[in-house]
Amino acid sequence: MYNAEAYAASSATSPLTSTKIKRRDPTERDVQIEILFCGICHSDLHQVRNEWSDVMPTIYPCVPGHEIVGRVTKVGSAVQKFKPGDLAAVGCMVDSDRTCPECRAGLEQFCPNLTLTYNFPDKHLGGVTYGGYSGSIVVDEHFVLRVPSNLSLAGTAPLLCAGITTYSPMRHWGVTNGKKVGVVGLGGLGHMAVKFAHALGAHVVVFTTSASKKDDALRLGADEVVLSRNSGEVQKHAGSFDFILDAVSADHDINAYIQLLRRDGNITLVGAPEKPLAVAAFALLFGRRSLSGSPIGGIAETQEMLDFCGAHNITADVEVIPIQKVNEAYDRLLKADVKYRFSIDMASLKS
Amino acid sequence: MYNAEAYAASSATSPLTSTKIKRRDPTERDVQIEILFCGICHSDLHQVRNEWSDVMPTIYPCVPGHEIVGRVTKVGSAVQKFKPGDLAAVGCMVDSDRTCPECRAGLEQFCPNLTLTYNFPDKHLGGVTYGGYSGSIVVDEHFVLRVPSNLSLAGTAPLLCAGITTYSPMRHWGVTNGKKVGVVGLGGLGHMAVKFAHALGAHVVVFTTSASKKDDALRLGADEVVLSRNSGEVQKHAGSFDFILDAVSADHDINAYIQLLRRDGNITLVGAPEKPLAVAAFALLFGRRSLSGSPIGGIAETQEMLDFCGAHNITADVEVIPIQKVNEAYDRLLKADVKYRFSIDMASLKS
């Protein structure tokens, strides 16, 4: 065991503050990583403030962060994919049982014995896992990703959650060249969805409540931008979309989007509104449409996504901050005052 | 043109009464059918009572009925599939444009220029189409189905709506040998779903609110029956279903069933509750599950379904009534007092 610098919350109402946490010495299959950047995901805020107490109550101290990139500092004797000095990344998962049908299918995100990167029982040290708001992390190599060398590291970090969460459902539901894809909500997830859909060759339409985001949406790769409050504009797209990615966590009228799908079209939720969505059955019946949800992606697909980003030079648009500004960043996150993701420069942890 | 006997409603609050309607003389592509049996679908009642005034307002007089079997009495000169004396069937559709992508894909049910069997503009005679509560009907041969010779005709009629509505989504979502399939609600649609899922080789679990239906569900082909009010029993099936068919039109908790799906499982609505369903996003996210709707099926698939029924000796369980009891049957339908479909013996029209 060794001590690592970190930022942790000590209760649901405490700010994140500097602390020291224990990390295990690398076992034979482990990779030790010096964390260079960690993205701030809205989940971090939910978890820190115990807003998911029903399903995933928070154990304190809580060190969040699951959008991690860094450099390998040490590897165990059995590690094959990494050597010290390599770039490496870690996302939302750090372990699973490797033997269940989900794991064997490369879909570790559905493993019943999954270990999430933070706030999950830590099999090695007891207590809970600690995430990426830290100077280093030790992770089994199966859950460590290779990072293309041509990408900015600050913008790569958010790919590990915001990236894979939007890439995976597009691949699953067959977004390819010539398909018409809608993206609802232009935030951390939505802006990645626009980049991926565009790079996959789709005709991309962004639905946003903010007229001010129009130019930005076009810059990110949208072919059209529709103000979602203008129902006439929205209605022009009725029955035309192959796939819509809904990245809105706030309560909203999902039926307005379901009826934009063509026959057999799918709308996938990646945001999780607190209140149940009111879904009109007729909108699904006419056109054999489907409504789904999708959580992150498996390790193999996460690597595929990173390689795709390398090939297409895709990263998240980030505002880089020092760790000392993390609490301020959380407040701004609640006002959607970031384009489009905060990425913490972990060098600041030493200052 | 010629006169045909029929039963029609003259307003939303009138009972169905005996009348005469005009039918066209068969054109070169038409098949004239003497109707022998017509099933009573809940849609007939909704339409007759103008309960869908928002989406499909009723034009009176209204002659409902879209579960039609009979015998061919005359064919047009270009008709190839039928000759006088053949058994024949007609379902919910009598015309479409034949040229749109949906029609070319054999999915006429999604054609934007579809003509439904009743209460839709009649291109030939003006006014609206009249359905199967009648002594005869004239339909383009493309929309006329062949009937296997080994099936009881009374029980075959409901296959044209209740049958295809449940068969089509099972085929679409891959119900095959060894899959675990749930059927929610054991009524006209549900009892057909049980028969199909069983014949397709699935392990079939019926969810019902009525303990009294348990033995019947097993007789119809269910492997297990769960009382849906017993949440402990329901919960035992969490995460285990490949596919669930939800045939309940009443307001109900859809999330209780969504969480019974395994990864990538689908629940398809074939009933259409009036009120929007409250759908919890988390239930869809965990497991990448999907919620769909499905309306009837295309003509080719309807023929496939009828042939499947012939091969597996499947018909609907019906209570045969004379047309004079149709209003009484509607009242009983509202109390779910029928096992499991009324089939009108059209010979009664002459008495």
Side-chain angles (χ1 to χ4, degrees), chain A residues 215 326-327:
Chain A
D215 289 345
V326 66
N327 296 301

Side-chain angles (χ1 to χ4, degrees), chain A residues 248-272:
Chain A
V248 175
S249 294
D251 196 23
H252 61 294
D253 178 12
I254 188 92
N255 302 303
Y257 297 106
I258 292 175
Q259 52 92 21
L260 300 187
L261 295 170
R262 64 169 68 218
R263 184 246 305 164
D264 290 331
N266 171 270
I267 180 166
T268 288
L269 305 168
V270 291

Side-chain angles (χ1 to χ4, degrees), chain A residues 102 263 277 279 285 291 295, chain B residues 102 263 277 279 285 290-291 295:
Chain A
E102 307 295 8
R263 184 246 305 164
L277 293 155
V279 176
L285 281 163
L291 165 68
Chain B
E102 307 295 8
R263 184 247 305 163
L277 293 155
V279 176
L285 282 163
S290 64
L291 166 67

Side-chain angles (χ1 to χ4, degrees), chain A residues 35-40 65-69 132-133 157 342-344 346:
Chain A
I35 300 176
L36 300 176
F37 290 93
C38 185
I40 297 181
H66 56 208
E67 297 184 333
I68 299 166
V69 295
Y133 295 9
F342 290 110
S343 187
I344 308 168
M346 281 298 163

Side-chain angles (χ1 to χ4, degrees), chain A residues 17 20 57 70 77 102 209 218 239 247 269 275 291 301 317 321 329 347:
Chain A
T17 54
K20 281 193 165 49
S77 58
E102 307 295 8
T209 52
L218 296 170
L269 305 168
K275 283 200 294 181
L291 165 68
E301 195 175 53
D317 284 22
I321 59 164

Side-chain angles (χ1 to χ4, degrees), chain A residues 30-48:
Chain A
D30 280 339
V31 177
Q32 185 190 52
I33 300 164
E34 177 194 5
I35 300 176
L36 300 176
F37 290 93
C38 185
I40 297 181
C41 177
H42 210 114
S43 304
D44 298 351
L45 188 154
H46 285 304
Q47 196 71 67
V48 159

Side-chain angles (χ1 to χ4, degrees), chain A residues 291-315:
Chain A
L291 165 68
S292 303
S294 182
I296 55 172
I299 289 297
E301 195 175 53
T302 305
Q303 189 62 61
E304 175 192 307
M305 178 273 305
L306 285 168
D307 296 344
F308 182 87
C309 288
H312 292 82
N313 208 27
I314 292 173
T315 54

